[in-house]
Amino acid sequence: MARARPAQPIIATAFVGILCLSLSLAGCNQSNSPDGKDYKQSIRQWRSERLKNLKAPDGWLNLAGLYWLEEGKNTIGSDSSRDVVFPRKAPSRVGTLWLQEDSLRFTPNQQVKIQYNGQPIHQTQILTSDARGEPTIMEHGSLRWFIIKRGDQYGLRLRDLNSPLLKELDSIPAYPPRKKWRIQARFKAYDQPKTVEVPNVLGGTYQQKSPGLLRFTFKGQTYELHPTGTVKNMFVVFGDDTNAETTYGGGRFLVVKNPDQDQTVQLDFNKAYNPPCAFTPYATCPLPPHSNILTLKIEAGEKSPDLDAPHH
Protein backbone atom coordinates (compact mmCIF):
# COMPACT_ATOMS: atom_id res chain seq x y z
CA MET A 1 0.00 0.00 0.00
CA ALA A 2 1.04 3.64 -0.35
CA ARG A 3 2.91 5.16 2.57
CA ALA A 4 1.09 7.55 4.87
CA ARG A 5 1.97 11.08 3.87
CA PRO A 6 3.80 13.22 6.41
CA ALA A 7 2.52 16.79 6.51
CA GLN A 8 4.68 19.19 4.57
CA PRO A 9 5.96 22.42 6.15
CA ILE A 10 3.51 25.23 5.38
CA ILE A 11 3.76 29.01 5.40
CA ALA A 12 0.21 29.83 6.30
CA THR A 13 -2.15 29.75 9.18
CA ALA A 14 -5.41 26.98 12.61
CA PHE A 15 -8.41 25.28 12.82
CA VAL A 16 -11.82 25.75 14.19
CA GLY A 17 -10.96 23.60 17.21
CA ILE A 18 -8.68 26.50 18.12
CA LEU A 19 -11.78 28.52 19.03
CA CYS A 20 -12.15 26.95 22.49
CA LEU A 21 -8.59 27.87 23.45
CA SER A 22 -9.05 31.29 21.89
CA LEU A 23 -12.07 32.04 24.03
CA SER A 24 -10.26 30.97 27.19
CA LEU A 25 -7.55 33.51 26.37
CA ALA A 26 -10.09 36.28 25.95
CA GLY A 27 -11.12 36.46 29.57
CA CYS A 28 -8.18 38.44 30.96
CA ASN A 29 -8.98 41.65 32.84
CA GLN A 30 -9.24 44.81 30.80
CA SER A 31 -8.84 48.17 32.52
CA ASN A 32 -10.85 51.25 31.62
CA SER A 33 -7.52 53.06 31.37
CA PRO A 34 -6.14 51.88 28.00
CA ASP A 35 -2.72 53.49 28.40
CA GLY A 36 -2.57 53.06 32.16
CA LYS A 37 -0.49 50.67 34.23
CA ASP A 38 -3.47 48.42 34.94
CA TYR A 39 -4.16 47.84 31.26
CA LYS A 40 -0.51 47.26 30.39
CA GLN A 41 -0.25 44.83 33.28
CA SER A 42 -3.33 42.98 31.99
CA ILE A 43 -1.67 42.64 28.58
CA ARG A 44 1.49 41.27 30.20
CA GLN A 45 -0.64 38.79 32.12
CA TRP A 46 -2.56 37.83 28.99
CA ARG A 47 0.70 37.21 27.10
CA SER A 48 2.07 35.16 29.98
CA GLU A 49 -1.05 32.97 29.97
CA ARG A 50 -0.85 32.66 26.21
CA LEU A 51 2.72 31.32 26.37
CA LYS A 52 1.75 29.01 29.22
CA ASN A 53 -1.09 27.56 27.12
CA LEU A 54 1.21 27.08 24.13
CA LYS A 55 3.61 25.10 26.34
CA ALA A 56 0.93 23.00 28.04
CA PRO A 57 0.78 19.23 27.36
CA ASP A 58 -2.17 19.88 25.03
CA GLY A 59 -0.60 23.05 23.57
CA TRP A 60 0.91 23.60 20.15
CA LEU A 61 4.65 23.76 20.88
CA ASN A 62 5.10 20.05 21.48
CA LEU A 63 3.76 18.90 18.11
CA ALA A 64 6.28 16.55 16.51
CA GLY A 65 4.50 15.15 13.47
CA LEU A 66 1.35 14.99 11.37
CA TYR A 67 0.80 12.04 9.04
CA TRP A 68 -2.17 11.61 6.73
CA LEU A 69 -3.37 8.01 6.84
CA GLU A 70 -4.19 5.70 3.98
CA GLU A 71 -7.22 3.43 3.90
CA GLY A 72 -6.35 0.02 5.30
CA LYS A 73 -3.10 -0.89 7.05
CA ASN A 74 -0.68 1.79 8.33
CA THR A 75 2.47 0.52 10.04
CA ILE A 76 4.03 2.85 12.62
CA GLY A 77 7.59 3.18 13.92
CA SER A 78 10.91 4.97 13.53
CA ASP A 79 12.21 2.55 10.88
CA SER A 80 12.14 4.17 7.44
CA SER A 81 10.23 1.20 6.03
CA ARG A 82 7.15 2.05 8.10
CA ASP A 83 4.16 3.76 6.55
CA VAL A 84 4.12 6.32 9.38
CA VAL A 85 7.74 7.16 10.23
CA PHE A 86 8.09 8.46 13.80
CA PRO A 87 11.17 10.35 15.07
CA ARG A 88 14.26 8.28 15.88
CA LYS A 89 13.56 8.30 19.63
CA ALA A 90 10.57 6.02 18.98
CA PRO A 91 10.92 2.22 18.69
CA SER A 92 11.55 0.89 15.19
CA ARG A 93 8.15 -0.82 15.30
CA VAL A 94 5.43 0.79 17.39
CA GLY A 95 2.40 -1.01 16.00
CA THR A 96 -0.19 -1.00 13.26
CA LEU A 97 -3.13 1.32 12.74
CA TRP A 98 -6.05 0.19 10.64
CA LEU A 99 -8.36 2.65 8.92
CA GLN A 100 -11.48 1.16 7.36
CA GLU A 101 -13.94 3.82 6.28
CA ASP A 102 -14.65 5.62 9.59
CA SER A 103 -13.44 2.78 11.80
CA LEU A 104 -10.04 3.09 13.50
CA ARG A 105 -8.12 0.53 15.52
CA PHE A 106 -4.55 0.21 16.75
CA THR A 107 -2.61 -3.00 17.40
CA PRO A 108 0.52 -2.42 19.52
CA ASN A 109 3.88 -4.14 19.17
CA GLN A 110 3.85 -6.53 22.15
CA GLN A 111 7.56 -5.82 22.77
CA VAL A 112 6.95 -2.09 23.30
CA LYS A 113 5.33 -0.47 26.34
CA ILE A 114 2.38 1.54 25.02
CA GLN A 115 -0.24 2.99 27.33
CA TYR A 116 -3.73 4.36 27.18
CA ASN A 117 -5.12 6.28 30.18
CA GLY A 118 -2.01 5.33 32.13
CA GLN A 119 -2.54 1.60 31.63
CA PRO A 120 -0.49 -0.69 29.34
CA ILE A 121 -2.35 -2.04 26.32
CA HIS A 122 -1.62 -5.47 24.92
CA GLN A 123 -4.52 -5.98 22.55
CA THR A 124 -6.09 -4.13 19.68
CA GLN A 125 -7.55 -0.80 20.81
CA ILE A 126 -10.53 0.86 19.12
CA LEU A 127 -9.67 4.53 18.53
CA THR A 128 -11.84 7.63 18.52
CA SER A 129 -10.82 10.64 16.43
CA ASP A 130 -11.24 14.27 17.45
CA ALA A 131 -14.27 14.42 15.14
CA ARG A 132 -16.22 12.52 17.80
CA GLY A 133 -15.07 14.47 20.83
CA GLU A 134 -11.99 13.71 22.90
CA PRO A 135 -9.64 11.55 20.81
CA THR A 136 -8.03 8.36 22.11
CA ILE A 137 -4.44 9.21 23.11
CA MET A 138 -1.71 6.55 22.91
CA GLU A 139 1.49 7.00 24.95
CA HIS A 140 5.08 5.79 24.80
CA GLY A 141 7.73 7.60 26.85
CA SER A 142 7.43 11.31 26.07
CA LEU A 143 5.46 10.63 22.86
CA ARG A 144 1.69 11.00 22.55
CA TRP A 145 -0.35 10.36 19.42
CA PHE A 146 -4.00 10.53 18.44
CA ILE A 147 -6.20 10.76 15.36
CA ILE A 148 -7.62 13.95 13.86
CA LYS A 149 -10.12 14.31 11.04
CA ARG A 150 -10.01 17.21 8.60
CA GLY A 151 -12.66 17.09 5.90
CA ASP A 152 -12.67 13.48 4.74
CA GLN A 153 -9.02 12.88 5.71
CA TYR A 154 -7.78 11.16 8.83
CA GLY A 155 -4.37 12.03 10.21
CA LEU A 156 -2.15 10.88 13.06
CA ARG A 157 -0.93 13.81 15.15
CA LEU A 158 2.18 13.25 17.25
CA ARG A 159 3.31 15.14 20.34
CA ASP A 160 6.66 15.03 22.13
CA LEU A 161 6.39 16.33 25.70
CA ASN A 162 10.17 16.86 25.62
CA SER A 163 10.12 18.89 22.42
CA PRO A 164 13.12 21.30 22.21
CA LEU A 165 10.74 24.08 21.17
CA LEU A 166 9.31 24.15 24.70
CA LYS A 167 12.63 25.53 25.94
CA GLU A 168 13.51 27.47 22.78
CA LEU A 169 10.49 29.77 22.92
CA ASP A 170 10.63 31.92 26.06
CA SER A 171 8.51 34.79 24.71
CA ILE A 172 6.47 35.85 21.69
CA PRO A 173 7.56 39.09 19.98
CA ALA A 174 4.81 41.70 20.08
CA TYR A 175 4.12 45.38 19.58
CA PRO A 176 3.81 47.45 22.77
CA PRO A 177 0.12 47.95 23.69
CA ARG A 178 -1.28 51.26 22.46
CA LYS A 179 -4.61 52.94 23.01
CA LYS A 180 -5.25 53.62 19.33
CA TRP A 181 -5.52 49.89 18.61
CA ARG A 182 -8.46 49.47 20.97
CA ILE A 183 -11.03 50.35 18.36
CA GLN A 184 -14.78 50.68 18.79
CA ALA A 185 -16.77 48.84 16.13
CA ARG A 186 -20.45 48.52 15.34
CA PHE A 187 -21.97 45.06 15.19
CA LYS A 188 -24.76 44.47 12.69
CA ALA A 189 -26.46 41.15 13.31
CA TYR A 190 -27.81 39.13 10.41
CA ASP A 191 -31.48 38.11 10.52
CA GLN A 192 -30.18 34.56 10.30
CA PRO A 193 -26.51 33.50 10.64
CA LYS A 194 -24.80 33.42 7.27
CA THR A 195 -22.36 30.79 6.06
CA VAL A 196 -18.79 31.98 5.54
CA GLU A 197 -16.25 30.08 3.44
CA VAL A 198 -13.03 30.02 5.48
CA PRO A 199 -10.01 28.76 3.50
CA ASN A 200 -7.50 26.48 5.17
CA VAL A 201 -3.90 25.39 4.70
CA LEU A 202 -4.98 22.03 3.29
CA GLY A 203 -6.33 23.77 0.20
CA GLY A 204 -9.97 23.36 1.14
CA THR A 205 -12.52 25.49 2.99
CA TYR A 206 -14.48 25.29 6.22
CA GLN A 207 -18.16 26.18 6.26
CA GLN A 208 -18.59 28.42 9.29
CA LYS A 209 -21.56 30.39 10.60
CA SER A 210 -21.21 34.15 10.95
CA PRO A 211 -23.58 35.96 13.34
CA GLY A 212 -23.13 39.38 11.75
CA LEU A 213 -20.81 42.08 10.50
CA LEU A 214 -18.23 44.19 12.37
CA ARG A 215 -17.65 47.68 10.93
CA PHE A 216 -15.07 50.17 12.22
CA THR A 217 -13.39 53.38 11.14
CA PHE A 218 -9.67 54.10 11.38
CA LYS A 219 -8.11 57.36 10.17
CA GLY A 220 -11.20 58.22 8.16
CA GLN A 221 -11.43 54.87 6.38
CA THR A 222 -14.16 52.31 7.04
CA TYR A 223 -13.32 48.62 7.30
CA GLU A 224 -15.36 45.45 7.77
CA LEU A 225 -14.67 42.09 9.39
CA HIS A 226 -16.76 38.94 9.15
CA PRO A 227 -16.52 36.95 12.40
CA THR A 228 -17.51 33.34 13.00
CA GLY A 229 -18.87 31.85 16.21
CA THR A 230 -21.76 33.34 18.17
CA VAL A 231 -22.79 36.88 19.09
CA LYS A 232 -21.44 36.36 22.63
CA ASN A 233 -18.12 34.92 21.44
CA MET A 234 -16.97 36.03 18.01
CA PHE A 235 -13.77 34.75 16.43
CA VAL A 236 -11.99 36.67 13.64
CA VAL A 237 -9.31 35.36 11.30
CA PHE A 238 -7.88 38.45 9.63
CA GLY A 239 -5.01 39.57 7.45
CA ASP A 240 -3.42 43.00 7.13
CA ASP A 241 -0.52 44.80 5.49
CA THR A 242 1.96 43.80 8.22
CA ASN A 243 1.66 40.12 7.25
CA ALA A 244 4.93 38.58 6.00
CA GLU A 245 6.75 41.74 7.13
CA THR A 246 6.60 42.07 10.90
CA THR A 247 3.73 39.65 11.50
CA TYR A 248 3.01 36.10 10.44
CA GLY A 249 2.30 35.70 6.73
CA GLY A 250 -0.88 33.66 7.15
CA GLY A 251 -2.78 36.24 9.18
CA ARG A 252 -3.72 36.40 12.84
CA PHE A 253 -6.63 35.74 15.19
CA LEU A 254 -8.77 38.01 17.34
CA VAL A 255 -11.48 37.17 19.87
CA VAL A 256 -14.35 39.67 20.20
CA LYS A 257 -16.78 39.63 23.12
CA ASN A 258 -20.51 40.28 22.84
CA PRO A 259 -21.78 43.78 21.91
CA ASP A 260 -23.32 46.20 24.41
CA GLN A 261 -26.86 47.59 24.27
CA ASP A 262 -25.84 49.98 21.49
CA GLN A 263 -24.40 47.09 19.46
CA THR A 264 -20.90 48.44 20.03
CA VAL A 265 -17.94 46.10 20.50
CA GLN A 266 -14.29 46.65 21.21
CA LEU A 267 -11.67 45.33 18.78
CA ASP A 268 -8.56 45.09 20.95
CA PHE A 269 -5.90 44.49 18.34
CA ASN A 270 -3.32 44.57 21.14
CA LYS A 271 -4.56 41.00 21.67
CA ALA A 272 -4.23 39.92 18.03
CA TYR A 273 -2.34 36.63 18.13
CA ASN A 274 -0.63 34.09 15.91
CA PRO A 275 -2.25 30.89 14.67
CA PRO A 276 -0.56 27.60 15.62
CA CYS A 277 0.98 27.31 12.15
CA ALA A 278 3.24 30.26 13.03
CA PHE A 279 4.97 27.96 15.52
CA THR A 280 4.79 24.49 13.98
CA PRO A 281 4.39 22.87 10.56
CA TYR A 282 2.19 20.18 12.13
CA ALA A 283 -0.93 22.26 12.79
CA THR A 284 -3.91 22.68 10.46
CA CYS A 285 -5.09 26.27 10.38
CA PRO A 286 -7.71 28.54 8.82
CA LEU A 287 -6.61 31.38 6.58
CA PRO A 288 -8.25 34.81 6.48
CA PRO A 289 -11.32 34.93 4.22
CA HIS A 290 -10.81 37.44 1.41
CA SER A 291 -13.36 39.75 3.08
CA ASN A 292 -11.19 39.85 6.24
CA ILE A 293 -7.96 40.97 4.56
CA LEU A 294 -7.56 44.62 5.58
CA THR A 295 -5.69 47.19 3.47
CA LEU A 296 -4.28 48.58 6.67
CA LYS A 297 -1.19 47.99 8.83
CA ILE A 298 -2.37 46.67 12.19
CA GLU A 299 0.82 47.42 14.11
CA ALA A 300 -0.45 45.80 17.28
CA GLY A 301 -0.51 42.37 18.87
CA GLU A 302 1.84 39.49 18.25
CA LYS A 303 4.61 39.56 15.68
CA SER A 304 6.17 36.58 13.89
CA PRO A 305 7.87 34.28 16.40
CA ASP A 306 11.66 34.21 16.21
CA LEU A 307 12.22 30.50 15.62
CA ASP A 308 14.77 28.47 13.71
CA ALA A 309 12.01 26.18 12.48
CA PRO A 310 12.20 24.69 8.96
CA HIS A 311 8.96 26.35 7.82
CA HIS A 312 10.11 29.94 8.53
Coordinates of all heavy atoms in Angstrom, one line a residue, residues 151-184:
G151 N -11.9 17.4 7.1 CA -12.7 17.1 5.9 C -12.9 15.6 5.9 O -13.4 15.0 6.8
D152 N -12.5 14.9 4.8 CA -12.7 13.5 4.7 C -11.3 12.8 5.0 O -11.2 11.6 4.7 CB -13.3 13.1 3.4 CG -12.4 13.5 2.2 OD1 -11.4 14.2 2.4 OD2 -12.8 13.2 1.1
Q153 N -10.3 13.5 5.5 CA -9.0 12.9 5.7 C -8.8 12.6 7.2 O -9.2 13.4 8.0 CB -7.9 13.8 5.2 CG -7.8 14.0 3.7 CD -6.6 14.8 3.4 OE1 -6.5 16.0 3.7 NE2 -5.6 14.2 2.8
Y154 N -8.2 11.5 7.5 CA -7.8 11.2 8.8 C -6.3 11.3 8.9 O -5.5 10.9 8.0 CB -8.2 9.7 9.2 CG -9.6 9.5 9.5 CD1 -10.5 9.1 8.5 CD2 -10.1 9.8 10.8 CE1 -11.9 9.0 8.8 CE2 -11.5 9.6 11.1 CZ -12.3 9.2 10.1 OH -13.7 9.1 10.4
G155 N -5.8 11.9 10.0 CA -4.4 12.0 10.2 C -4.0 11.6 11.6 O -4.7 11.7 12.6
L156 N -2.7 11.2 11.7 CA -2.2 10.9 13.1 C -1.3 12.1 13.5 O -0.4 12.5 12.8 CB -1.3 9.6 13.0 CG -0.7 9.1 14.3 CD1 -0.5 7.6 14.2 CD2 0.6 9.8 14.7
R157 N -1.7 12.7 14.6 CA -0.9 13.8 15.1 C -0.1 13.3 16.3 O -0.5 12.6 17.2 CB -1.9 14.9 15.6 CG -1.2 16.1 16.3 CD -2.1 17.3 16.4 NE -2.1 18.0 15.2 CZ -3.0 18.9 14.9 NH1 -4.0 19.2 15.7 NH2 -3.0 19.6 13.7
L158 N 1.2 13.7 16.3 CA 2.2 13.2 17.3 C 2.7 14.4 18.1 O 3.0 15.5 17.6 CB 3.4 12.6 16.5 CG 4.5 12.1 17.4 CD1 4.1 10.9 18.3 CD2 5.7 11.8 16.5
R159 N 2.7 14.2 19.4 CA 3.3 15.1 20.3 C 4.6 14.5 21.0 O 4.6 13.3 21.2 CB 2.3 15.5 21.5 CG 1.1 16.2 21.0 CD 0.2 16.6 22.2 NE -1.1 17.2 21.9 CZ -1.3 18.4 21.6 NH1 -0.2 19.3 21.7 NH2 -2.4 18.9 21.3
D160 N 5.5 15.4 21.3 CA 6.7 15.0 22.1 C 6.7 16.0 23.3 O 7.0 17.2 23.2 CB 7.9 15.1 21.3 CG 9.2 14.6 22.1 OD1 9.0 14.3 23.3 OD2 10.3 14.6 21.5
L161 N 6.4 15.5 24.5 CA 6.4 16.3 25.7 C 7.8 16.9 26.1 O 7.9 17.7 27.0 CB 5.8 15.6 26.9 CG 4.3 15.1 26.7 CD1 3.8 14.5 28.0 CD2 3.4 16.1 26.1
N162 N 8.8 16.3 25.4 CA 10.2 16.9 25.6 C 10.7 17.6 24.4 O 11.9 17.7 24.2 CB 11.1 15.7 26.0 CG 10.9 15.1 27.3 OD1 10.4 15.8 28.2 ND2 11.2 13.8 27.5
S163 N 9.7 18.2 23.6 CA 10.1 18.9 22.4 C 11.1 20.0 22.7 O 10.8 20.8 23.7 CB 8.9 19.5 21.7 OG 9.2 20.4 20.7
P164 N 12.2 20.2 22.0 CA 13.1 21.3 22.2 C 12.5 22.7 22.1 O 12.9 23.6 22.7 CB 14.2 21.1 21.1 CG 14.1 19.7 20.7 CD 12.6 19.3 20.9
L165 N 11.4 22.8 21.4 CA 10.7 24.1 21.2 C 10.2 24.6 22.5 O 10.0 25.8 22.7 CB 9.6 24.0 20.1 CG 9.0 25.3 19.6 CD1 10.1 26.2 19.1 CD2 8.0 25.0 18.5
L166 N 9.9 23.7 23.4 CA 9.3 24.2 24.7 C 10.3 25.0 25.5 O 9.9 25.9 26.2 CB 8.9 22.9 25.5 CG 7.8 22.1 25.0 CD1 7.7 20.8 25.8 CD2 6.5 22.8 25.0
K167 N 11.6 24.7 25.3 CA 12.6 25.5 25.9 C 13.1 26.7 25.0 O 13.5 27.7 25.5 CB 13.8 24.7 26.3 CG 13.5 23.6 27.4 CD 14.8 22.8 27.7 CE 14.5 21.8 28.8 NZ 15.7 20.9 29.1
E168 N 13.0 26.5 23.7 CA 13.5 27.5 22.8 C 12.7 28.7 22.8 O 13.2 29.9 22.8 CB 13.5 26.9 21.4 CG 14.0 27.9 20.3 CD 13.9 27.3 18.9 OE1 13.7 26.1 18.7 OE2 13.9 28.1 17.9
L169 N 11.4 28.6 23.0 CA 10.5 29.8 22.9 C 10.2 30.3 24.3 O 9.5 29.6 25.1 CB 9.2 29.4 22.2 CG 8.3 30.6 21.9 CD1 8.8 31.5 20.8 CD2 6.9 30.2 21.6
D170 N 10.9 31.4 24.7 CA 10.6 31.9 26.1 C 9.8 33.2 26.0 O 9.4 33.7 27.1 CB 12.0 32.2 26.8 CG 12.8 33.2 26.0 OD1 12.4 33.7 24.9 OD2 14.0 33.4 26.4
S171 N 9.4 33.7 24.8 CA 8.5 34.8 24.7 C 8.1 34.9 23.3 O 8.7 34.3 22.4 CB 9.2 36.1 25.1 OG 10.3 36.4 24.2
I172 N 7.0 35.6 23.0 CA 6.5 35.9 21.7 C 6.6 37.3 21.4 O 6.1 38.2 22.1 CB 5.0 35.5 21.6 CG1 4.8 34.0 22.0 CG2 4.5 35.7 20.1 CD1 3.3 33.6 22.2
P173 N 7.4 37.7 20.3 CA 7.6 39.1 20.0 C 6.2 39.8 19.8 O 5.3 39.2 19.2 CB 8.4 39.0 18.7 CG 9.1 37.7 18.7 CD 8.1 36.8 19.4
A174 N 6.1 41.0 20.2 CA 4.8 41.7 20.1 C 5.1 43.2 20.1 O 6.1 43.7 20.6 CB 3.9 41.3 21.2
Y175 N 4.1 43.9 19.5 CA 4.1 45.4 19.6 C 3.8 45.8 21.0 O 3.0 45.1 21.7 CB 3.1 46.0 18.6 CG 3.4 45.8 17.1 CD1 2.9 44.8 16.4 CD2 4.2 46.8 16.5 CE1 3.1 44.7 15.0 CE2 4.5 46.7 15.2 CZ 4.0 45.6 14.4 OH 4.2 45.5 13.1
P176 N 4.3 46.9 21.5 CA 3.8 47.5 22.8 C 2.3 47.8 22.7 O 1.9 48.3 21.6 CB 4.7 48.7 23.0 CG 5.2 49.1 21.6 CD 5.3 47.8 20.8
P177 N 1.5 47.6 23.7 CA 0.1 47.9 23.7 C -0.1 49.5 23.6 O 0.6 50.2 24.3 CB -0.4 47.4 25.0 CG 0.8 47.3 25.9 CD 1.9 47.0 25.0
R178 N -1.0 49.8 22.7 CA -1.3 51.3 22.5 C -2.8 51.5 22.4 O -3.5 50.6 21.8 CB -0.6 51.7 21.2 CG 0.9 51.6 21.2 CD 1.5 52.0 19.9 NE 1.3 53.4 19.6 CZ 1.7 54.0 18.4 NH1 2.2 53.3 17.5 NH2 1.4 55.3 18.2
K179 N -3.2 52.6 22.9 CA -4.6 52.9 23.0 C -5.3 53.0 21.6 O -6.4 52.5 21.5 CB -4.8 54.3 23.7 CG -6.2 54.8 23.8 CD -6.3 56.2 24.5 CE -7.7 56.7 24.5 NZ -7.8 58.0 25.2
K180 N -4.6 53.4 20.6 CA -5.3 53.6 19.3 C -5.7 52.3 18.7 O -6.5 52.3 17.8 CB -4.4 54.4 18.4 CG -3.2 53.6 17.8 CD -2.5 54.5 16.8 CE -1.3 53.7 16.1 NZ -0.7 54.5 15.0
W181 N -5.2 51.2 19.2 CA -5.5 49.9 18.6 C -6.6 49.2 19.4 O -6.9 48.0 19.2 CB -4.3 49.0 18.5 CG -3.3 49.5 17.5 CD1 -2.0 50.0 17.7 CD2 -3.5 49.7 16.1 NE1 -1.5 50.4 16.5 CE2 -2.4 50.2 15.5 CE3 -4.6 49.4 15.2 CZ2 -2.2 50.5 14.2 CZ3 -4.5 49.7 13.9 CH2 -3.3 50.2 13.4
R182 N -7.2 49.9 20.4 CA -8.5 49.5 21.0 C -9.6 50.2 20.3 O -9.9 51.4 20.7 CB -8.4 49.7 22.5 CG -7.4 48.9 23.2 CD -7.5 49.2 24.7 NE -8.4 48.3 25.4 CZ -8.9 48.4 26.6 NH1 -8.6 49.5 27.3 NH2 -9.7 47.5 27.1
I183 N -10.1 49.6 19.3 CA -11.0 50.4 18.4 C -12.5 49.9 18.6 O -12.8 48.8 18.7 CB -10.6 50.1 16.9 CG1 -9.2 50.6 16.6 CG2 -11.6 50.7 15.9 CD1 -8.6 50.2 15.3
Q184 N -13.4 50.9 18.7 CA -14.8 50.7 18.8 C -15.4 50.3 17.4 O -15.1 51.0 16.4 CB -15.5 51.9 19.3 CG -15.1 52.3 20.7 CD -15.3 51.2 21.8 OE1 -16.4 50.7 21.9 NE2 -14.3 50.9 22.5

